[in-house]
Amino acid sequence: MPEPTDNPTRPLVRVTGAARHAWALLTDRPLSLYAVSVLRIGYGLLYLVFLLREFPHRDAIWGPGSPWTPDLARQLFDQTGWVSVLTLSDSRLHFELCYAAALVVSVLFLLGWRTRAVSVLFAVVVASFHARSIFMTDGGDNLVLLMALYLVLTASGRRWSLDARRARRTPARRRRLPALPPRLAASRTTLVTTLHNCGLLVIGVQVCFLYGAAGLYKVQGGTWGAGTALHYVLNLDLFQPWPALSHWADDQALAIAVVGYLTVLLQVAFPFVLFGRLKYPVLTMLLGMHIGIAVLMGLPLFSGAMIIADAVFLPDRFWIAAGRLARRALGRTEEPQPVRGEVPEAARGAVPKQGGPVSPVRDRP
């Protein structure tokens, strides 16, 4: 007998089913492992290049010789609650050791060595340098700090890392953890998976807020509505790394007006196109926008941080195909062997499922 259309329990059933689906999506398997690995590699490399670039000026920015002295920084920390390992001592030796350690941590994070522990150290490094000279930071520094904190929650070392390489090559009997009771092992796996997916969700929401807020803020400005905002930006001496190039771009009046309107449209529409194929052309245009910001305005750190953050919205099948193309370009045709107990993603088209019997070895981050 067909169910009456006015069944009062139907909405409750739908809500319950949606809640179960959301809970399964959150706890069943870690999502976008390749995407978070790209974020780990990207931010590790970006911060390493940043530290190397500023190496000749490190003392003037963060060291004891900075106009913003360690004592002034500590006084500000008392008001703001920030902390920094760089202000634990005023000695130059302490600062140089911290700087060297920051370089090493960035390299290890980039390579994915003991990623769970190193990701925490990387977050401490980024937060310490950010807080030490906070008046020298910009939006790019803020985004790198946020992403470093969020990546602590994720299993960013399971793909394209030294940890993943070791897990493939080390015999299971040599890397087996002490046996855990089945329920405890299952709880551990669920906790790790949930933290990873929550971190991934927070990263995606953060990027959506950045674009949405930036677009809505621009809509309120008269210069963006008139199509002249980029004209004023291109004539700011502070953002003219190559004045001749900026002046040439400013001469293209129609082009910069169109780019200005398109920028606002892309940023406002970004959160609404993420669940369809339209996101691919939008991400491509945003990539061009960030490259333009890096070249014309001299903001490579900000542009690099945004480009890397956008990578989280590309599915794993994209990164698997990109990795295959990279191996072919390098003359390496062999496919990486999966960790014992895992099914290759390329064969399944998805990340390995973590349901069913739990193996502490297989599911170790």
Side-chain angles (χ1 to χ4, degrees):
M1 181 176 181
E3 184 179 357
T5 56
D6 58 347
N7 188 343
T9 64
R10 177 169 293 184
L12 180 61
V13 171
R14 290 180 177 177
V15 171
T16 304
R20 288 178 178 174
H21 177 73
W23 178 252
L25 188 65
L26 190 65
T27 62
D28 193 31
R29 60 186 177 89
L31 303 173
S32 300
L33 288 175
Y34 282 94
V36 295
S37 296
V38 170
L39 264 64
R40 185 202 78 240
I41 295 169
Y43 286 116
L45 179 61
L46 183 67
Y47 210 73
L48 176 64
V49 172
F50 171 65
L51 292 176
L52 292 175
R53 178 184 179 274
E54 301 298 344
F55 185 81
H57 317 291
R58 62 192 185 282
D59 183 53
I61 300 176
W62 301 289
S66 171
W68 186 252
T69 63
D71 185 58
L72 288 174
R74 284 189 288 267
Q75 293 181 38
L76 182 62
F77 294 165
D78 292 337
Q79 303 175 28
T80 62
W82 282 89
V83 292
S84 173
V85 297
L86 298 175
T87 60
L88 297 179
S89 173
D90 293 349
S91 71
R92 183 169 299 277
L93 176 62
H94 172 78
F95 169 71
E96 297 295 347
L97 289 176
C98 288
Y99 207 90
L103 292 172
V104 172
V105 168
S106 298
V107 172
L108 295 179
F109 185 67
L110 159 67
L111 297 177
W113 183 82
R114 306 293 180 185
T115 314
R116 280 294 183 186
V118 172
S119 63
V120 177
L121 295 178
F122 183 73
V124 171
V125 165
V126 175
S128 295
F129 278 80
H130 185 91
R132 171 62 183 88
S133 190
I134 198 167
F135 295 113
M136 296 286 289
T137 59
D138 58 19
D141 299 278
N142 295 335
L143 182 58
V144 172
L145 173 61
L146 290 173
M147 292 301 173
L149 295 174
Y150 299 154
L151 285 173
V152 172
L153 301 175
T154 66
S156 61
R158 292 198 187 182
R159 301 292 182 269
W160 292 343
S161 66
L162 294 180
D163 288 347
R165 181 187 181 92
R166 182 177 62 253
R168 289 194 303 268
R169 295 193 172 190
T170 305
R173 57 184 175 82
R174 292 180 55 189
R175 57 184 170 86
R176 183 172 290 113
L177 294 173
L180 295 175
R183 289 190 177 182
L184 182 59
S187 298
R188 174 187 179 276
T189 301
T190 301
L191 176 61
V192 171
T193 302
T194 304
L195 285 176
H196 168 86
N197 290 335
C198 286
L200 182 67
L201 177 63
V202 171
I203 290 173
V205 171
Q206 178 70 70
V207 178
C208 288
F209 271 125
L210 285 174
Y211 280 123
L216 293 175
Y217 184 79
K218 289 182 176 66
V219 168
Q220 303 176 51
T223 56
W224 286 98
T228 59
L230 294 182
H231 161 74
Y232 295 106
V233 172
L234 291 171
N235 284 278
L236 292 174
D237 293 338
L238 185 62
F239 299 109
Q240 284 188 345
W242 293 282
L245 182 59
S246 297
H247 294 155
W248 173 84
D250 186 42
D251 291 337
Q252 319 304 315
L254 178 60
I256 64 171
V258 172
V259 170
Y261 289 128
L262 186 60
T263 298
V264 177
L265 176 63
L266 290 175
Q267 291 181 336
V268 173
F270 181 80
F272 304 101
V273 301
L274 294 179
F275 302 102
R277 294 184 178 181
L278 190 59
K279 73 177 179 180
Y280 296 106
V282 169
L283 287 172
T284 302
M285 287 185 283
L286 287 174
L287 173 63
M289 181 189 75
H290 292 308
I291 293 175
I293 291 174
V295 174
L296 291 174
M297 298 179 61
L299 296 173
L301 181 63
F302 170 78
S303 296
M306 290 301 302
I307 290 172
I308 296 167
D310 289 346
V312 77
F313 298 106
L314 294 173
D316 274 353
R317 61 179 179 273
F318 172 89
W319 296 114
I320 293 172
R324 188 179 298 116
L325 290 175
R327 286 191 297 272
R328 290 177 181 174
L330 296 174
R332 298 173 56 188
T333 57
E334 71 277 7
E335 293 288 337
Q337 297 300 317
V339 180
R340 183 184 298 272
E342 287 190 350
V343 179
E345 291 89 341
R348 296 187 47 170
V351 181
K353 186 177 177 65
Q354 286 198 348
V358 178
S359 167
V361 176
R362 183 193 68 189
D363 295 315
R364 180 173 61 182

